[in-house]
Amino acid sequence: LPVSINTQAKLDTNLRGEVDWTLTETPAPALVSALRPFVEAFPSSLSLEAGLFKATGRLNLTQNDWTLRAALELTSADLLYGNNQIEQLHWQSDLQLNHQGKLNSTGQISAAQIYIGLPVQLSPLKYELVKTVKQTQLSVAPFTASLLGGQIYLPALSFDPGQPDMIFLISLRDFNLGSILELYAEKGLYGEGLIDGQLPVQITSEGIRIQGGNVGTVQAGLIRYQPDENLDAMAASNIGLRLALDALSNLHYQLLDMQVDYHPNGDLLLSTRLQGNNPEWQQGRPIDLTLTIEDNIPELLKALQITGRISDAVDNHFQR
Amino acid sequence: CTPTVQLAAPKDPITINLNVKIQHEILVKVDREIDNLLEENSDLF
Amino acid sequence: LSLEQAKTQGLIGEQLNGYVGIVTASPSTELHSLVTDINQQRRALYQQSAQEASVTLEVFEIRAGQRLQGRAKTGEYLQDQNGQWRRK
């Protein structure tokens, strides 16, 4: 193990007393690859590209049990987990472990930027983890995720990460419709407007589910969509599509109301209602457009990750 | 005075329904193709 | 000598473009023919799969390279952006 631990022991003849130890600051990537074979908790798709780790603590040895106290710190770490990247991760934790295997630990995690196909910032995450042989309980303080120009507010949560079974409400503020539409990298698709929402999130061992979430805005906005030729050609033989494309070519909406349903397999169903008009179509006749959109989030994120990576790679390739 | 006929803009809203199923880009298919290659030709990869 | 053995012995490694490259400074003729043979077979497979997924061969090769480097075992050699060989 490429690491140096200095210890200072005050033990009596039958080895009772205290051992103070310090693990001097070590490059974290080397530590992780050395520990990987022993800790199955490290998923193979998780790799540490940078970071420094240090720890200090005290081991108390008494009659027939022992207690270990430790303060751990990982600084300026860069992680790669599958196609997701975490930059400038800082993790600090205090823990106490005893011979019965009872672990009490509190800590805080913060990161400059997380990239899951699109950039996300998380406010510092404060947690407490209590683990006994029988049960594990993780409690997380309220925190905020910033993405797509807006924020998601998450409440305090407390659950057993091994068998999560909880339902909580998250609220969305000031999501930028333009940024959301940009995710789809559809040339000719453009939007302006701010979106708020409330989503009841249910997490079980089956996964994440949202039923009857509501997202929308009463503040005016607009959607402009110029379809490519083959979609336009398709509209020639489909009156509903023709009408929708005409309306959406420059839709100024006063009301956007969307019901959100999300399934553990990643399928997302958006039943959207838009009320407004298109000043360049039918003399601005009022429009009541119902749009049901089906997508799959993991597929969307994978496509974003691939296109993100491939377009850089192809560009670098040509620049060289 | 002569009555003037003005084509009043239609006031009643036009209701439109559309279902959109988003299929992700070809690049997701690339990954599936690669998975097949890795499975069928393990000696080459 | 198999691809697997050559990799674990650090003789060859995965390049960015989805093909294997020679790492060792003094490759045997046997290693040379192994690498050429494997890359030829990979190229044929990539061409067919790229058509299947209707993307250019170049895009397919780059994505294959990313995936192959991602799944390489620790200790195997990988080529980085500036063409240097580095152990995973």
Side-chain angles (χ1 to χ4, degrees), chain C residues 40-76:
Chain C
Q40 259 163 3
Q41 292 185 57
R42 283 192 182 184
R43 189 177 173 75
L45 290 171
Y46 288 163
Q47 258 151 355
Q48 197 213 335
S49 302
Q51 240 162 15
E52 205 74 37
S54 42
V55 290
T56 63
L57 177 59
E58 164 102 57
V59 167
F60 195 91
E61 283 171 337
I62 288 171
R63 181 59 186 161
Q66 282 167 358
R67 294 281 311 272
L68 290 169
Q69 292 206 340
R71 74 194 268 278
K73 299 191 186 63
T74 27
E76 288 181 358

Side-chain angles (χ1 to χ4, degrees), chain A residues 137-143 154-159 166-169 203:
Chain A
Q137 194 67 9
L138 177 63
S139 310
V140 184
F143 67 100
L154 292 103
L157 300 169
S158 184
F159 57 99
M166 57 196 195
I167 187 158
F168 55 92
L169 204 59
I203 301 183

Side-chain angles (χ1 to χ4, degrees), chain A residues 28-71:
Chain A
L31 202 56
V32 164
S33 30
L35 282 175
R36 194 181 282 278
F38 308 105
V39 180
E40 30 14 87
F42 276 117
S44 58
S45 55
L46 172 69
S47 76
L48 211 56
E49 308 293 312
L52 288 169
F53 181 76
K54 66 181 183 204
T56 181
R58 166 173 291 178
L59 176 64
N60 282 78
L61 299 164
T62 44
Q63 178 61 23
N64 37 36
D65 57 31
W66 54 265
T67 321
L68 172 71
R69 272 184 211 79

Side-chain angles (χ1 to χ4, degrees), chain A residues 231-243:
Chain A
L231 186 58
D232 220 24
M234 250 168 63
S237 59
N238 176 332
I239 180 75
L241 181 57
R242 180 71 271 151
L243 283 177

Side-chain angles (χ1 to χ4, degrees), chain C residues 3-38:
Chain C
L3 170 74
E4 192 66 32
Q5 286 156 340
K7 274 188 179 178
T8 21
Q9 290 163 24
L11 300 173
I12 62 172
E14 288 294 340
Q15 294 172 161
L16 279 174
N17 58 4
Y19 297 99
V20 280
I22 293 178
V23 179
T24 164
S26 51
S28 66
T29 41
E30 188 203 358
L31 190 68
H32 261 301
S33 54
L34 173 73
V35 166
T36 341
D37 174 42
I38 286 186

Side-chain angles (χ1 to χ4, degrees), chain A residues 221-237:
Chain A
L222 65 88
I223 295 174
R224 287 200 193 102
Y225 183 45
Q226 266 81 35
D228 55 28
E229 326 77 39
N230 35 37
L231 186 58
D232 220 24
M234 250 168 63
S237 59

Side-chain angles (χ1 to χ4, degrees), chain A residues 285-286 288 290 292 294-295, chain B residues 12 14 16 18-20 22 24:
Chain A
R285 179 180 179 188
D288 194 335
T290 305
T292 27
E294 282 170 63
D295 195 346
Chain B
D12 56 326
I14 177 164
I16 306 170
L18 183 68
N19 294 346
V20 175
I22 295 177
H24 278 291

Side-chain angles (χ1 to χ4, degrees), chain A residues 229-291:
Chain A
E229 326 77 39
N230 35 37
L231 186 58
D232 220 24
M234 250 168 63
S237 59
N238 176 332
I239 180 75
L241 181 57
R242 180 71 271 151
L243 283 177
L245 291 180
D246 291 345
L248 285 165
S249 64
N250 184 20
L251 179 66
H252 293 248
Y253 66 79
Q254 282 78 42
L255 171 77
L256 178 148
D257 180 41
M258 193 188 284
Q259 188 184 314
V260 179
D261 292 289
Y262 179 74
H263 302 282
N265 67 1
D267 285 343
L268 176 73
L269 183 64
L270 300 174
S271 325
T272 316
R273 184 134 180 254
L274 285 152
Q275 286 175 342
N277 62 38
N278 177 344
E280 297 139 13
W281 183 64
Q282 297 204 4
Q283 295 96 26
R285 179 180 179 188
I287 296 170
D288 194 335
L289 172 62
T290 305
L291 203 55

